[in-house]
Amino acid sequence: MNTPAAPSRSWFATHPSLAPGPLRILMGILSFVGLFALLVLVPVVALPSWLRLPPGDSAAWSVGASTLILWGTLLALLYGAKVVARPTRLFGPLIVAASGAALLYLISILPLAEVTLARAGASPLILTIGYGPFLLLAMVVPSLKILSGLLVTLEDVRYPGSRISREFPRGAA
């Protein structure tokens, strides 16, 4: 009686190849471009130009443009890499890395979470709006994703190939 061969225990043994195919690379690039636009271009370039305030009025964010550019680029790169690495065993660690970076970003801007609007004129008005509670609520998602990334990594280590053969039947990448 023939017994099936035991699955490979090598960390890099995967059903689809480690070399990303053109479709996975395209999806990773599109993911990077979309997230870069959402996390960097909209808040740094588009939002200030869309807020056309009357002369003398101003709006000030406490999070600087350099912080948005640095963290936005890092998050877009990590999430793009996660899309490319999906059928491999690097997917779980990249989920943890990308979600951990998102959580660190939210934690780092939490103390700065406010917008100040100033209106000049005969009766000047200064309005400060805090969005810290919204950021605390937003931290739930990356926290849960870190947990899911750890579970995916654990499954890939404990049962090599099981997730990959389920998600990518017949070795399709």
Side-chain angles (χ1 to χ4, degrees):
M1 175 177 244
N2 290 340
T3 58
S8 171
R9 293 276 184 195
S10 169
W11 178 257
F12 292 104
T14 60
H15 225 37
S17 69
L18 273 178
L23 183 59
R24 287 190 347 229
I25 291 174
L26 176 65
M27 295 307 291
I29 290 171
L30 290 175
S31 176
F32 169 78
V33 169
L35 279 171
F36 185 80
L38 184 68
L39 297 174
V40 176
L41 295 180
V42 168
V44 174
V45 177
L47 196 58
S49 66
W50 290 338
L51 285 175
R52 299 199 191 278
L53 298 172
D57 293 355
S58 66
W61 286 265
S62 50
V63 179
S66 60
T67 302
L68 292 172
I69 292 169
L70 174 76
W71 281 100
T73 304
L74 176 68
L75 290 172
L77 282 172
L78 284 171
Y79 277 97
K82 183 183 75 142
V83 168
V84 173
R86 172 125 193 237
T88 68
R89 295 202 184 160
L90 295 175
F91 181 60
L94 279 171
I95 291 173
V96 174
S99 301
L103 191 61
L104 285 175
Y105 170 61
L106 292 172
I107 289 170
S108 72
I109 67 169
L110 187 60
L112 308 172
E114 57 185 40
V115 176
T116 303
L117 302 169
R119 180 169 174 87
S123 58
L125 174 69
I126 297 177
L127 178 66
T128 301
I129 302 168
Y131 53 93
F134 173 74
L135 290 182
L136 285 172
L137 188 61
M139 286 182 200
V140 171
V141 174
S143 300
L144 291 175
K145 284 190 145 291
I146 289 172
L147 180 61
S148 74
L150 290 172
L151 291 174
V152 166
T153 303
L154 182 65
E155 180 184 11
D156 284 346
V157 169
R158 180 113 167 106
Y159 305 105
S162 69
R163 175 188 61 86
I164 295 165
S165 62
R166 246 189 350 263
E167 288 184 10
F168 298 92
R170 290 181 261 134

